[in-house]
Amino acid sequence: MNPSGERGTPDIRGFVQQSRGKVKTTDVSIEAEMRNICARAGEILEKHSSPGILQKIEMPKKVGARSLRRWLKGYRDHGIAALYDGVAQRGNRNRQLTDNERKLMYRSVLGYLSDLKKTPANIVTDVRAAFVAENKKLMEAGEPELACPSRPTILAAIASLDPARVKLMREGRDAARRAFSPVGQGIDVERPMQRVEMDEQKIDLISLMADSGLLSLLTEEEKATYGLDDTKARWWMTVALCVRTRCIVGMNLSREPTAQSALRTVDMTMRDKGVWSDAAGALDPWAESGMIGTLVTDCGKNYVSHEFRARMHDLGINVLHTPAAAPWLKPYIERVFRTFSTRLMPRLSGCTFGDILRRGSSDPEEKAALAADQLCAVLVRWIVDIYHNTPHEGLNGQTPRNCWQSLTQKYGVTPPPSLPHRRLIFGQEFSRVLHKDGITVMGVRYHSRKLAQHLMHGSDMKMEVRWYPEDIGAIWVEIGGAWSPVGAVHKGFDGVSAQQWLVARRQLRIQNERDAQVKAHVVQQALDFVEEQNGYAMRRIGVVQQDWSSERIEREEQNWFTGFRIAEDEVERPVDAVSQRWGERLSSASTSERGVEEKVRDQPNISSAPTEPTQFPAEQHPAASDGDEDDGELMPLWDK
């Protein structure tokens, strides 16, 4: 039964009414009257068919009783619409292409897999042009032409291409990796400092490279290093993040990322950073520190350099380098940089907004207002007081500082290396010649009993030295294939940075221009003056990377320390036979000589806190703690 139009509705209803009492809605009754039902359906179809559509009216074929009951129920429930069937949708509607037609079409469709990024309309044009050219050749050869596929067929062929291959060929490997790389359960860490991610980024801020007036004793070259050379530029920021607690454990600013800026950031992760947070006026401490378990970086040249990898190996840190252009392998540090760009930088004058679309017509250079020391203070305070105290979604609403405190109470952290160990690991390595008065670096003399023994019995006086610019109170010297700590002869340099000493030397040169030899107490006064005048400012800008390469050290020594010498303070001593025998025999530790000889001792464990210059007699000197047989021994030296 296939009635069409509303004109068939009265006849169907009449037919149903006439059949009442004759046909029951059972399979047996319907089968018995099926012939009459089909005849009546043919009459209805003939009556309501349009002229010319059906040339011959035939009685419908016998249908199943079950199908007829289903049609009747649908008609009663939904009317005539329930009797429309899907016969018109049957069959294979796809056009059957020959092998040659299909081959030629897909040859042109593959043009979609190109970095030219052709549109589907371009591919349709290319396919049609290919068929025109091919049919021209076939016509000349007397062969049958090929039928060009329709536009829907071509678009269907484009849609059937492998999505991963389309992304790879049209947008590149990185885009395909981002779109189709499988995602697992993520990084699983339990303890603080178990995994630390580190990376650098040029911050979205143009700052004033102008002198704020605090660092008045710096040279123009040093001001350029600190970003105080009256220009406008952007900084590179190197950040280290503890993955488990989301705490920022190290941060360093530099004009360009280098291996030294990376090492300085690692050094900060192992130190209490309160000196910088206090200088910036932070309300909370910045004490998150410890030994790194696994350090994750990218393949930047500063991270894969021999210098960086060698120092990490000396520390025993496992370094993982992620493949290039795969930021999702260190997602936490990448998210921190995004947080900096979206939450902090828009609040500062001179923000570049990351891209030209967000920037619009704004000119960040005209709005640049922060000097370098002010930028350092802003970054430190934002990290310590805001970021560390903001509930973090990745920590289930817990703040990074609370997470650090709770987990360190549960697991603790591996203690960071001591100051002598940091001197050895992070110190600048260069060569110096050993003289009878020891080794001199930047005008500071270093001597020990081991150096004196090497001077008497060794043949090579060219020594390898590691010098730590953060604290010049001691150095490490390679003696006989092993590194040994050597303290400064004058103990007032404990806790003094190289920059403080360099500024103090300039002050001494101004005050004592004609004197190449300066008393120790005068040096100490100069150091105290620098601390009083510029100590706060230098700590405030302390997160800026300084250039202490061997070339700069050599240049500064030539400029400021040529002919410079620190002399001992004059003391009243009785004139005896010993003082008259200078140069006649080697000094000894006899009882009669102890009162007139100066005792100089090694310092294997030197604290960064300034200490009083105390001299111990040999029999009262405290024992060394690291097992070195020569550590802690006094070497009597004549005061020249």
Side-chain angles (χ1 to χ4, degrees), residues 198-200 236-240 250-254 261-262 265 303:
M198 185 167 69
D199 200 359
E200 73 280 340
W236 282 87
M237 180 171 60
T238 305
V239 178
M251 188 266 292
N252 185 32
L253 293 179
S254 59
S261 63
T265 306
Y303 300 125

Side-chain angles (χ1 to χ4, degrees), residues 14 27 76 93 102 115 184 278 280 335 349 377 420 433 477 631 639:
D27 292 346
R76 288 173 176 172
R93 296 175 58 82
R102 189 182 303 277
D115 55 1
D278 291 345
R335 187 62 181 86
S349 298
V433 177
V477 182
D631 288 346
D639 184 0

Side-chain angles (χ1 to χ4, degrees), residues 162-279:
D162 183 23
R165 188 181 179 190
V166 171
K167 181 71 73 173
L168 174 65
M169 302 302 294
R170 289 174 65 87
E171 301 184 25
R173 181 177 58 184
D174 297 337
R177 184 183 297 169
R178 287 192 297 269
F180 297 101
S181 292
V183 178
Q185 64 178 0
I187 300 171
D188 185 18
V189 290
E190 294 183 0
R191 299 177 287 103
M193 302 298 289
Q194 180 180 350
R195 177 187 174 99
V196 173
E197 295 182 355
M198 185 167 69
D199 200 359
E200 73 280 340
Q201 188 181 67
K202 181 177 284 189
I203 61 177
D204 298 332
L205 185 76
I206 296 179
S207 62
L208 290 175
M209 304 300 179
D211 188 356
S212 60
L214 297 176
L215 306 177
S216 57
L217 298 180
L218 297 182
T219 64
E220 295 301 323
E221 181 181 358
E222 290 170 340
K223 288 181 180 180
T225 302
Y226 280 114
L228 305 174
D229 52 353
D230 295 326
T231 60
K232 297 179 180 180
R234 293 168 63 182
W235 289 97
W236 282 87
M237 180 171 60
T238 305
V239 178
L241 177 78
C242 173
V243 172
R244 179 62 185 90
T245 64
R246 305 298 201 276
C247 285
I248 296 177
V249 292
M251 188 266 292
N252 185 32
L253 293 179
S254 59
R255 304 299 288 269
E256 291 292 336
T258 61
Q260 284 302 315
S261 63
L263 287 173
R264 175 78 187 285
T265 306
V266 174
D267 187 14
M268 289 183 67
T269 66
M270 303 179 182
R271 301 171 60 183
D272 187 328
K273 294 161 279 292
V275 62
W276 296 297
S277 61
D278 291 345

Side-chain angles (χ1 to χ4, degrees), residues 70-177:
R70 187 176 70 253
W71 295 344
L72 182 59
K73 183 179 184 304
Y75 174 75
R76 288 173 176 172
D77 294 342
H78 305 288
I80 194 65
L83 300 181
Y84 285 94
D85 52 31
V87 174
Q89 304 298 326
R90 295 177 181 175
N92 184 6
R93 296 175 58 82
N94 296 328
R95 187 172 180 273
Q96 297 297 323
L97 299 177
T98 64
D99 292 340
N100 291 335
E101 292 171 347
R102 189 182 303 277
K103 181 179 179 180
L104 181 58
M105 180 186 69
Y106 275 102
R107 186 187 305 167
S108 300
V109 166
L110 291 178
Y112 190 73
L113 305 176
S114 170
D115 55 1
L116 297 177
K117 298 182 180 180
K118 292 184 177 181
T119 64
N122 297 141
I123 300 301
V124 171
T125 303
D126 293 346
V127 171
R128 291 173 178 173
F131 271 84
V132 170
E134 184 67 20
N135 287 333
K136 185 177 180 180
K137 295 179 182 179
L138 294 176
M139 185 183 302
E140 293 175 355
E143 297 181 3
E145 298 182 1
L146 300 178
C148 180
S150 63
R151 183 175 181 275
T153 302
I154 300 174
L155 295 180
I158 296 175
S160 66
L161 296 175
D162 183 23
R165 188 181 179 190
V166 171
K167 181 71 73 173
L168 174 65
M169 302 302 294
R170 289 174 65 87
E171 301 184 25
R173 181 177 58 184
D174 297 337
R177 184 183 297 169

Side-chain angles (χ1 to χ4, degrees), residues 289-359:
S289 61
M291 177 64 76
I292 300 174
T294 299
L295 181 64
V296 183
T297 69
D298 56 23
C299 291
K301 61 180 181 180
N302 47 334
Y303 300 125
V304 300
S305 64
H306 172 74
E307 181 180 9
F308 182 83
R309 291 186 291 112
R311 301 301 172 90
M312 295 302 101
H313 180 269
D314 293 341
L315 282 169
I317 296 177
N318 181 31
V319 181
L320 296 180
H321 296 294
T322 61
W328 55 88
L329 296 180
K330 46 181 180 59
Y332 302 100
I333 187 65
E334 298 291 344
R335 187 62 181 86
V336 165
F337 283 126
R338 182 181 174 186
T339 303
F340 271 103
S341 300
T342 57
R343 296 187 181 181
L344 174 62
M345 297 308 166
R347 298 178 178 272
L348 306 178
S349 298
C351 178
T352 61
F353 298 100
D355 58 72
I356 191 172
L357 295 178
R358 293 180 57 201
R359 184 188 312 166

